Amino acid sequence: MTWRDSAAKLKMAKKQLMVPATWGIRSSFHSLIALLVAFLVIASIYVTQNSGVLIEDATKSKSSDDLSSRCNLFSGKWVFDNKSYPLYKEKACTFMSDQLACEKFGRKDLNYQNWRWQPHRCDLPRFNATVLLERLRNKRLMFVGDSLNRGQWVSMVCLVDSVIPTGLQSMHQYRNGSLHFFKAIEYNATIEFYWSPLLVESNSDDPVNHRVDDRTVRVQGIEKHARHWTDADILVFNSYLWWRRAQMTVLWGSFESPDGVYRKVEMPRVYEMALKTWSDWLEVHINRTKTQMFFVSLSPTHQKYTAMQF
């Protein structure tokens, strides 16, 4: 399936998924969604490296192809596990962000950290940070998007940080904080986050000052962001919550040029144009024999309780 096909399917899906902002979903459910996304990414890394870590509950399959056909990671349930979870302690993570530090700022009900995803027909292995780092040796894992993916990135960093000796990791940021770069030096592996809430260029691209009344999108402009993604081995994109407006201003031209053409356009159409630009860029610039890609669209709002952690 091409990324154009994916964009077309997303167009159909968003018509079904668009709901009012007041969903009334509890903050604990937000954390479960974040946890599921992370586990699916981790499980994919494990499986594609032929590690043989998925073990069926029933009769063991005779081949990896048979296992793939029997094990659907998306079909399962949440189970409470207070023996092997949580996978890390918030206070022990050197790089925990205050935006995500639930316990630090007074949250008492921490049982949400004990839920894990259980597929119906196979078992996910307990997360092993050393194994994951070995899989990521000499590679780049990159999260691209808004605060949802930033939370995913922080949690992934916390998951591996506990097994890295002091002094053998580093954290840097570039482009005024748009690009955050965690490196496990011994493994020459990086786990990165790039702030690009609409994927294409917009007037919300500043990682700090991005709250604007009139959101303007340059739907054909992506190179400014995408040049930072080109060589990544694993790309996890997300973009949806920042599109929840009836209309948006579309710019044809450059933000720096006085000759740009601005026009109000219905949000679904702008979203479609931006996804087409994004998918067209992937078709041309991403080597799919090397790079794994994931796209996360709809997620529960986290305006009332902003902290998400797993």
Side-chain angles (χ1 to χ4, degrees):
M1 179 182 295
T2 68
W3 283 93
R4 288 191 180 92
D5 294 332
S6 299
K9 287 194 173 185
L10 284 167
K11 177 184 175 183
M12 296 175 62
K14 72 176 184 292
K15 293 180 180 178
Q16 301 174 1
L17 292 173
M18 241 172 267
V19 294
T22 56
W23 292 343
I25 300 176
R26 293 176 181 272
S27 61
S28 58
F29 182 62
H30 305 167
S31 302
L32 298 183
I33 293 295
L35 178 60
L36 175 58
V37 172
F39 274 147
L40 292 176
V41 173
I42 293 168
S44 177
I45 296 171
Y46 276 47
V47 172
T48 53
Q49 292 291 333
N50 298 318
S51 56
V53 292
L54 293 180
I55 305 169
E56 289 189 302
D57 289 339
T59 305
K60 292 184 178 179
S61 60
K62 296 180 180 179
S63 68
S64 58
D65 290 339
D66 190 22
L67 174 59
S68 298
S69 65
R70 290 172 179 267
C71 183
N72 181 357
L73 297 178
F74 295 89
S75 177
K77 62 181 180 179
W78 292 102
V79 296
F80 189 78
D81 181 354
N82 59 0
K83 294 182 179 180
S84 57
Y85 280 67
L87 295 171
Y88 68 85
K89 297 291 186 180
E90 176 188 298
K91 295 179 180 179
C93 180
T94 309
F95 304 103
M96 174 56 65
S97 165
D98 279 353
Q99 292 180 324
L100 307 172
C102 304
E103 186 176 3
K104 177 179 178 179
F105 290 97
R107 180 165 180 170
K108 303 299 182 182
D109 56 323
L110 300 177
N111 287 341
Y112 72 95
Q113 298 178 356
N114 298 113
W115 290 91
R116 64 176 174 83
W117 181 250
Q118 176 63 58
H120 288 310
R121 305 196 62 171
C122 56
D123 288 334
L124 287 173
R126 176 175 165 79
F127 176 79
N128 186 315
T130 303
V131 171
L132 179 63
L133 284 169
E134 193 59 53
R135 299 288 185 270
L136 292 176
R137 184 179 291 276
N138 300 318
K139 293 182 179 179
R140 295 174 66 200
L141 166 59
M142 189 171 215
F143 295 87
V144 179
D146 57 27
S147 57
L148 176 68
N149 257 5
R150 183 170 57 203
Q152 295 287 318
W153 169 74
V154 170
S155 291
M156 184 67 79
V157 169
C158 289
L159 283 167
V160 302
D161 179 52
S162 61
V163 301
I164 301 176
T166 302
L168 291 181
Q169 70 275 87
S170 63
M171 178 74 79
H172 302 282
Q173 64 178 33
Y174 304 95
R175 297 196 72 249
N176 195 33
S178 292
L179 176 61
H180 292 262
F181 191 98
F182 172 85
K183 184 171 185 177
I185 298 172
E186 182 181 357
Y187 297 89
N188 191 34
T190 61
I191 302 174
E192 306 169 40
F193 170 70
Y194 187 86
W195 173 263
S196 180
L198 302 171
L199 298 181
V200 294
E201 290 183 42
S202 74
N203 61 347
S204 295
D205 286 343
D206 189 290
V208 178
N209 301 312
H210 45 245
R211 302 292 181 183
V212 294
D213 294 329
D214 183 10
R215 191 155 291 154
T216 302
V217 184
R218 185 171 174 246
V219 291
Q220 296 178 321
I222 197 170
E223 287 292 339
K224 174 183 174 182
H225 299 320
R227 61 192 177 91
H228 299 284
W229 318 333
T230 306
D231 297 324
D233 297 277
I234 303 164
L235 282 166
V236 185
F237 296 97
N238 92 287
S239 188
Y240 181 80
L241 289 178
W242 284 65
W243 294 94
R244 294 187 307 125
R245 297 190 175 191
Q247 287 188 328
M248 304 180 83
T249 300
V250 173
L251 165 63
W252 280 272
S254 169
F255 280 108
E256 292 77 21
S257 172
D259 301 323
V261 177
Y262 293 83
R263 183 179 301 167
K264 286 286 187 180
V265 180
E266 297 296 315
M267 185 280 286
R269 176 57 179 152
V270 186
Y271 191 38
E272 178 186 4
M273 289 189 289
L275 287 181
K276 185 179 186 304
T277 297
W278 168 76
S279 61
D280 286 347
W281 185 91
L282 293 174
E283 287 277 8
V284 174
H285 295 90
I286 294 297
N287 180 357
R288 284 179 287 176
T289 63
K290 173 197 174 191
T291 303
Q292 291 178 273
M293 290 177 284
F294 302 84
F295 182 80
V296 184
S297 58
L298 183 67
S299 69
T301 57
H302 53 280
Q303 294 173 337
K304 184 176 180 181
Y305 301 99
T306 58
M308 291 194 302
Q309 174 196 7
F310 56 86

